[in-house]
Amino acid sequence: MKRQGGFTLIEMIVVIVILGILAATAAPKFFDFSDDARASALAGLAASLNSGSNITYGVASIENELGPTGNLSNGVSVIHGYPDAKATGIEKAVNINGWTKITSGTATTTYDAAWGFANDATDCLVGYSVADATNAAKAVVVDCP
């Protein structure tokens, strides 16, 4: 009988382990999920701002503070029932701790307030527009790939 040649089980396991180690060290270089994580975090902030703004509108409706300006019993200042862009408005209605408030750049001319990441505040951010007589307040993610 002829003896058949091939790889032993141990040799196959060693090759698979080596390939696994190579894949584990090389995969992060090929797959960069940081942009997706940043965009998701900003989408969460925008959703929080919109939810807080809508809840504040409900409170303003109950307290009959739907005029051009007003203050709610919880100390939140409102414009047409929605929080204004000041520290006594949307920042008091929604916990925005950990986010950097953008105070310069194009976001400040387009939006009434903007927040982003501390190390990259001008690239990816959330802009907040206060309400007017016909439009509700709105927070949107801007300038994010």
Side-chain angles (χ1 to χ4, degrees):
M1 241 172 143
K2 278 186 171 179
R3 185 163 183 232
Q4 293 187 357
F7 295 108
T8 65
L9 183 59
I10 298 295
E11 290 171 331
M12 293 295 283
I13 290 173
V14 169
V15 169
I16 290 171
V17 168
I18 291 171
L19 288 175
I21 292 170
L22 288 173
T25 57
K29 291 178 177 34
F30 294 110
F31 304 112
D32 184 15
F33 297 113
S34 62
D35 289 340
D36 292 338
R38 291 164 57 83
S40 295
L42 288 171
L45 175 61
S48 295
L49 291 171
N50 285 324
S51 295
S53 179
N54 290 330
I55 290 170
T56 302
Y57 183 81
V59 173
S61 295
I62 292 169
E63 294 184 10
N64 201 21
E65 286 288 345
L66 299 178
T69 60
N71 287 304
L72 302 181
S73 61
N74 61 3
V76 175
S77 57
V78 294
I79 298 173
H80 297 287
Y82 291 95
D84 65 16
K86 300 175 187 169
T88 56
I90 192 66
E91 292 181 40
K92 189 167 186 171
V94 178
N95 183 2
I96 309 178
N97 292 336
W99 294 96
T100 301
K101 188 166 186 178
I102 311 301
T103 57
S104 63
T106 57
T108 57
T109 58
T110 308
Y111 298 96
D112 298 306
W115 296 269
F117 293 98
N119 61 349
D120 195 12
T122 58
D123 185 21
C124 268
L125 52 95
V126 171
Y128 178 76
S129 299
V130 297
D132 59 27
T134 57
N135 297 310
K138 187 174 184 179
V140 294
V141 177
V142 291
D143 293 337
C144 204

